[in-house]
Amino acid sequence: LQGPTRGNAISQVHDAVERLRGAGLAPANEAADQLLHIERQRRIVSPFHTLPTELIIKIIKLAANFTSHYGFMDGAGDYYEILHVLAQVCRFFAEIVKKTPELWSVLDVKYGEGDWETSLRLSQSHPLTIRYVSSSSIDPSSWSAVLPVISRWRIAHISLSPSAPLRLVSDLEKVGATQLQTLGLEYHKSPEESQPALDVLGGGAPNLRDLSLTAITLRDWSSPILHRLHSLSLSAIQDPGIPSLQLLSDALQGCPNLMTLKLYGVEFESITGDRAQIRLPHLRTVCFEYIDDEVDENLLSSIKAPHITDFRILKDPVEKVKIVYLSAITSFLASSFDACMASAARIRMEVGDTSVEVEMEAEGSADVVASFIIDHTFHGAKVLDWIVQRLDASLPISITLVVWNGIASVAMALASLTGVVEFATTVWDQDLRPLLDALGSPRTLPGGDHAWMWPKLESMKINSIMRPSVAKSVLRMLQKRYSVVVSGSQGEALQPPAVLKRLCLESTKCMSKGALRSICRAVGKNAFVSAQAHRLESDDTGNEDGGNEKAGTTPIENGGEDPLASNRIVDSD
């Protein structure tokens, strides 16, 4: 029997057995044995058991949050527990879990926890992913068990506490790791300690491609290990034993295949003399955060990398900038920015008080072609001006502003981007009327022509915090934007701007019902309007700073015509 017919037949036999048993007839027990045999056979020939083993392994990996790069996502302790649970689903699962070394190739030795001994045994000879987090309570034998299999390490993340013996670091200088591709070393030192210096694996890691060091410095910055790297990350290296910037520059010159360079909170001794050029033709990702301005300027002026697609430079807003290095940033990024711009189909910008982020997306998808994050705390509008000048203003652009002060002036710096289709902002105690007035009236361009600010704008979201709603100001903007007729310098009528398709207004205080009704009528029936406020103001002539009607508590009588009740949404918080 196959498919549903087979299942129905088994059910009929089961019913017959129950009737025999109820009648006290002897064949009941024999029939029950036969039914049990049929059930076992049915499970064996179940379509589930015809699935390829490789597919079952993939299902188990997904269920246990296994990833090929990190080995675990939410902690290997959880991973082990899930693996044991999955092994109890059925005998088929148990066999696969037990006999698949890859599933046990994750060794998590954290605070003495984790089923690492079982993993070490069942992983057989499969390359290993190691996470070793030391503490005073950890069993020293765990390191003694993990170190001898270093030849199987593929990915290793080792975090050492102040109480951990530094011999664990020195041990890594004496052994080789022929399969190791990714190594992360982190040392949580006590204030009175100096940072340990390390000769990474004694140079015996020919396949090492990704190296990350936190509070651990290198003893030999000319090590051949560095020359083979694809990714180098240095963090929190601030002791008297820090390398000179010249040493780092020399090391980078020997890394022709480097694709990622990240420096976070690193101090270097000053560089002297002429700066040699550092050619890194494969470099794609650069991240400099909270490092000395001289390091920023020296490295950005020296590195020649024409294919940057991921750039981040952030400063500590408390520190004063000693060197104005904006020109170094713009010179470093110019060719990469332009090349990415040429292949972008859509742009997303987020401007905050301290940084501006530009993401370029590919045609037909949300895949990010490039991402640039630049600190502009100390450069005012210069960074924005540089970005605006290099953007293709006609591409679809989404803008998000999250600034505490000067939001109108920031928005005006973006006024020439004619492709803006989405605009969102969160307003604290700021006046948005200058921006809304600019949207409501055409700008006068050099030569006497006129142009609308963001003529393709289709979506707007404004969230007012600790300030009355801007609904009435938005209404005035819409009324002017859609009713003003302007002639060009030759007397021809100016092309009207696009009508909003989506408008979202939020306020922690109140809104005017009358203004919302008028907004809905102004944008037309095809637009989606969403409003959320603490209170709706019933007095349409008053200011939007009072009112005593809870939003949503009193339905608006409409007779089918009121835009608020018919096809608009008004919520309370």
Side-chain angles (χ1 to χ4, degrees), residues 106 127 157 171 237 269 343-344 352 356 375 416 440 483 486 499 521 549 562:
V106 177
H157 299 280
D171 284 346
I237 301 177
E269 295 178 2
S343 60
V356 55
D375 190 293
S416 62
S483 62
V486 181
V499 177
R521 295 188 180 101
E549 185 175 350
D562 192 316

Side-chain angles (χ1 to χ4, degrees), residues 20-59:
L20 289 172
R21 184 172 291 163
L25 299 177
N29 292 332
E30 181 180 350
D33 292 339
Q34 291 294 325
L35 180 61
L36 180 60
H37 177 72
I38 292 173
E39 284 287 347
R40 287 173 176 170
Q41 295 300 315
R42 182 179 69 84
R43 290 171 183 165
I44 292 174
V45 299
S46 169
F48 177 79
H49 291 271
T50 65
L51 293 175
T53 302
E54 293 79 6
L55 183 57
I56 301 298
I57 292 174
K58 288 184 178 181
I59 293 173

Side-chain angles (χ1 to χ4, degrees), residues 180-182 205-211 228-232 258:
L180 188 64
Q181 299 174 11
T182 299
N207 293 308
L208 186 65
R209 297 296 179 263
D210 301 331
L211 176 62
R228 294 187 288 265
L229 292 179
H230 290 175
S231 175
L232 175 62
L258 196 66

Side-chain angles (χ1 to χ4, degrees), residues 5-240:
T5 304
R6 180 185 63 188
N8 293 337
I10 293 175
S11 177
Q12 292 171 9
V13 173
H14 185 274
D15 292 342
V17 169
E18 290 301 317
R19 287 195 299 270
L20 289 172
R21 184 172 291 163
L25 299 177
N29 292 332
E30 181 180 350
D33 292 339
Q34 291 294 325
L35 180 61
L36 180 60
H37 177 72
I38 292 173
E39 284 287 347
R40 287 173 176 170
Q41 295 300 315
R42 182 179 69 84
R43 290 171 183 165
I44 292 174
V45 299
S46 169
F48 177 79
H49 291 271
T50 65
L51 293 175
T53 302
E54 293 79 6
L55 183 57
I56 301 298
I57 292 174
K58 288 184 178 181
I59 293 173
I60 292 174
K61 286 181 179 180
L62 289 173
N65 282 336
F66 181 98
T67 64
S68 59
H69 182 67
Y70 294 106
F72 38 78
M73 291 177 64
D74 298 325
D78 295 335
Y79 172 76
Y80 294 135
E81 183 178 345
I82 295 172
L83 211 56
H84 284 298
V85 170
L86 292 173
Q88 298 176 37
V89 170
C90 61
R91 185 179 300 174
F92 185 44
F93 262 43
E95 287 296 312
I96 290 178
V97 168
K98 184 177 180 180
K99 295 182 179 181
T100 305
E102 183 184 7
L103 294 176
W104 298 97
S105 63
V106 177
L107 273 68
D108 186 36
V109 187
K110 181 179 181 182
Y111 308 127
E113 301 172 355
D115 198 359
W116 58 272
E117 292 176 314
T118 301
S119 291
L120 202 57
R121 176 171 50 84
L122 296 180
S123 62
Q124 299 179 17
S125 61
H126 197 279
L128 299 174
T129 293
I130 305 285
R131 181 170 67 174
Y132 188 95
V133 181
S134 70
S135 71
S136 57
S137 61
I138 199 167
D139 183 0
S141 64
S142 61
W143 182 251
S144 301
V146 170
L147 191 62
V149 295
I150 194 171
S151 60
R152 292 171 52 197
W153 290 12
R154 181 175 61 89
I155 299 172
H157 299 280
I158 300 174
S159 179
L160 304 175
S161 66
S163 58
L166 285 178
R167 70 168 183 80
L168 300 185
V169 175
S170 60
D171 284 346
L172 291 175
E173 299 182 335
K174 306 172 185 176
V175 294
T178 55
Q179 297 191 62
L180 188 64
Q181 299 174 11
T182 299
L183 175 63
L185 291 174
E186 182 177 6
Y187 185 62
H188 301 278
K189 71 180 187 66
S190 58
E192 62 275 7
E193 284 184 292
S194 60
Q195 292 177 335
L198 176 67
D199 178 14
V200 182
L201 300 172
N207 293 308
L208 186 65
R209 297 296 179 263
D210 301 331
L211 176 62
S212 175
L213 299 176
T214 299
I216 293 179
T217 188
L218 291 178
R219 184 178 296 119
D220 181 10
W221 285 85
S222 62
S223 169
I225 275 191
L226 295 175
H227 302 163
R228 294 187 288 265
L229 292 179
H230 290 175
S231 175
L232 175 62
S233 176
L234 304 175
S235 302
I237 301 177
Q238 300 173 330
D239 276 332

Side-chain angles (χ1 to χ4, degrees), residues 234-238 263-268 289-292 295:
L234 304 175
S235 302
I237 301 177
Q238 300 173 330
L263 304 177
Y264 183 92
V266 180
E267 295 180 359
F268 292 95
E289 296 191 30
Y290 311 122
I291 62 176
D292 189 83
V295 176

Side-chain angles (χ1 to χ4, degrees), residues 274-339:
D274 296 333
R275 295 188 294 254
Q277 289 191 355
I278 306 171
R279 298 191 178 278
L280 300 174
H282 301 289
L283 191 64
R284 297 292 185 273
T285 299
V286 172
C287 179
F288 295 166
E289 296 191 30
Y290 311 122
I291 62 176
D292 189 83
D293 306 298
E294 184 178 359
V295 176
D296 282 338
E297 186 184 39
N298 276 279
L299 288 179
L300 293 177
S301 300
S302 302
I303 294 175
K304 305 303 176 186
H307 305 297
I308 300 297
T309 57
D310 189 358
F311 180 83
R312 176 191 294 263
I313 185 163
L314 298 175
K315 309 299 294 182
D316 186 347
V318 177
E319 298 291 333
K320 293 183 178 180
V321 175
K322 302 174 183 177
I323 300 175
V324 179
Y325 59 95
L326 179 60
S327 60
I329 295 176
T330 54
S331 298
F332 177 77
L333 282 182
S335 60
S336 296
F337 196 96
D338 293 346

Side-chain angles (χ1 to χ4, degrees), residues 398-474:
S398 299
I399 294 177
T400 300
L401 301 185
V402 187
V403 295
W404 286 86
N405 295 295
I407 189 170
S409 61
V410 171
M412 294 306 297
L414 308 173
S416 62
L417 299 177
T418 57
V420 175
V421 293
E422 296 179 355
F423 172 72
T425 186
T426 297
V427 183
W428 283 268
D429 191 18
Q430 297 186 65
D431 190 355
L432 266 187
R433 284 176 295 181
L435 169 60
L436 296 173
D437 289 344
L439 287 170
S441 302
R443 299 181 297 132
T444 302
L445 303 177
D449 285 337
H450 297 84
W452 291 101
M453 179 177 174
W454 303 342
K456 300 177 183 179
L457 186 65
E458 296 179 346
S459 174
M460 177 182 287
K461 179 178 180 180
I462 300 176
N463 183 11
S464 302
I465 298 177
M466 303 307 294
R467 186 177 180 87
S469 162
V470 295
K472 290 184 178 180
S473 297
V474 170

